[in-house]
Each structure stands twice: as C-alpha cells, then as structure tokens.
Amino acid sequence: MPQHCADSLIVLDFETTGLSPDMGDRAIEIGAVRLEKGQVVERFQALMNPGKRINSFIENYTGITNQMLSKAAPCDEVMEQFASFMGNSNLLAHNASFDKRFLDAELRRIARPYTGTFACSLLVARRLYQQAPNHKLGSLIAYKNILSPGDFHRALFDSEMTAKLWMVMLQDITLATQQIDVPFAFIQKLSKTPKNAVGSLFTKRTNFV
C-alpha cells in the first residue's frame, strides 16, 4: 500500500448536543470506519453520555434519546477507546471542520493527542462536483446514485455513506488525472484550490509526485 494514500484512512462522524464545543456542547455519538485500499476493514460506533440532557431538537434530529444516553458510557471512556482505534491514521469527515472541533475538544479533555491529518469530503466535492445542486452528504449520495439503505444523522451510517461517496470521488479523480493511488497530500491541495483552477491541477502530473 502506498504511504499516505487517500484510500486508506479513517472516516468519522460525530453526533453532538449542538454546534460548538466552545459553547459547552459535547459529543453524544461517534461512528467511524477504517478504509484500507478502499475497503472497509473495521468499524467503531458508540453512544456516549455527555453528563447532561439533550434537547428535543437533537433527539428528533438524530433519533438519539436521553434514555439511550443515560445507559451509555461517559464521553471520556468512549474517547479513550476511539483514540486507540484511530492510532496515527489520517482522517476524513464530511464538513471536517465541525468533526475536528469536537474530536479536538473531547481528546483534550482526556489529554490524548493524535497525529493524523484531516481531509474534508465536502471541500473536495465542491471542487469536483461543481454542477451538483448542493454539497450536503445526502444530496451528493443521490447525485452520484449511491445506494443508501438507512437513516442519515446517525454517526456510523453517515461515516459509512461518506466512505462510499469518498471512494466514488477518488475514482472520479483517478479518471480526471489518469493517475492511480491518489496521494492524501493531493487531496489536501485540491481542497484548497480555487474552483476555476481545478482543471489545470488535474492535468499537472507533477502534483502527484
């Protein structure tokens, strides 16, 4: 397996009590899949008790209830387990800035650093699928005709759908660049490239070196 290839990483998703850990919000569920050469080889899913009640909007949005959380392990315990699962793998999330904020905040609480680097499938999709109606996860799944038997807004399902979308995206990048084994570093470069410069990025073979 090539070092730091974009098809070998951990895809993760959080469900949370709100939008910002800086405002006191906490994670209530984490789901993740480990991709190796584009195949899901391992899964991680756990509810976690944030130590406070969640509001009815979050209950309705996620389907996660206060009763379910009352029986769950505390956040610190779950995040210890996830930090071990994660190891030093690179990471991917849809709208990664959101999930990274919660990952960072929860791991700070237990003093567990990590060395993996994030990629964002949302940022890449905005450059790769400029004609899509929007770049929400569910919309892109429909846009690319990916089967989605389940409910969005649960962490493991969302991470699995993001992984399926990611592999389609990597196939499309491979077709556009005529290069196999897309490097993780190229993905990071693509996510920062202006939309009108994506075509020239794809045609420069030196970007894959």
Side-chain angles (χ1 to χ4, degrees):
M1 180 182 69
Q3 188 85 14
H4 302 307
C5 198
D7 66 358
S8 298
L9 38 69
I10 286 176
V11 186
L12 65 93
D13 182 75
F14 280 105
E15 302 301 334
T16 65
T17 64
L19 296 176
S20 174
D22 295 336
M23 301 296 290
D25 289 313
R26 300 292 303 274
I28 57 173
E29 185 181 35
I30 186 168
V33 296
R34 185 188 304 279
L35 288 176
E36 288 185 6
K37 297 183 180 179
Q39 300 297 314
V40 175
V41 297
E42 199 172 1
R43 292 173 171 83
F44 184 101
Q45 184 276 330
L47 292 171
M48 54 183 112
N49 190 332
K52 60 182 179 180
R53 291 183 64 81
I54 59 174
N55 62 39
S56 58
F57 173 80
I58 296 297
E59 282 191 311
N60 292 331
Y61 184 74
T62 63
I64 298 168
T65 66
N66 281 293
Q67 184 177 12
M68 292 163 65
L69 293 176
S70 70
K71 302 171 185 175
C75 292
D76 291 2
E77 186 178 316
V78 172
M79 292 308 298
E80 285 281 4
Q81 295 169 2
F82 183 70
S84 297
F85 174 85
M86 181 172 57
N88 60 2
S89 298
N90 284 327
L91 307 163
L92 173 76
H94 201 72
N95 192 17
S97 62
F98 174 87
D99 295 281
K100 185 179 186 300
R101 283 198 300 273
F102 278 93
L103 182 67
D104 291 352
E106 294 294 347
L107 289 180
R108 270 198 306 270
R109 287 175 175 269
I110 58 172
R112 286 289 296 263
Y114 67 97
T115 57
T117 302
F118 263 93
C120 179
S121 52
L122 173 63
L123 292 180
V124 176
R126 283 177 176 164
R127 286 148 179 83
L128 195 58
Y129 305 132
Q130 297 185 26
Q131 306 306 314
N134 64 63
H135 296 91
K136 294 177 182 178
L137 178 59
S139 301
L140 290 167
I141 292 292
Y143 181 72
K144 297 303 292 183
N145 298 310
I146 299 169
L147 292 177
S148 55
D151 297 318
F152 288 100
H153 310 308
R154 287 301 301 267
L156 182 58
F157 182 78
D158 283 6
S159 65
E160 288 183 327
M161 288 298 100
T162 300
K164 286 184 178 182
L165 174 65
W166 186 242
M167 292 316 303
V168 171
M169 292 168 71
L170 290 183
Q171 289 169 9
D172 289 343
I173 291 170
T174 295
L175 286 171
T177 59
Q178 298 299 303
Q179 299 284 318
I180 59 173
D181 295 330
V182 179
F184 188 81
F186 178 81
I187 292 298
Q188 293 183 299
K189 184 182 293 185
L190 174 58
S191 66
K192 297 175 183 176
T193 298
K195 291 179 182 178
N196 61 4
V198 169
S200 60
L201 178 74
F202 283 166
T203 57
K204 290 179 182 176
R205 290 179 178 269
T206 53
N207 287 312
F208 267 57
V209 176

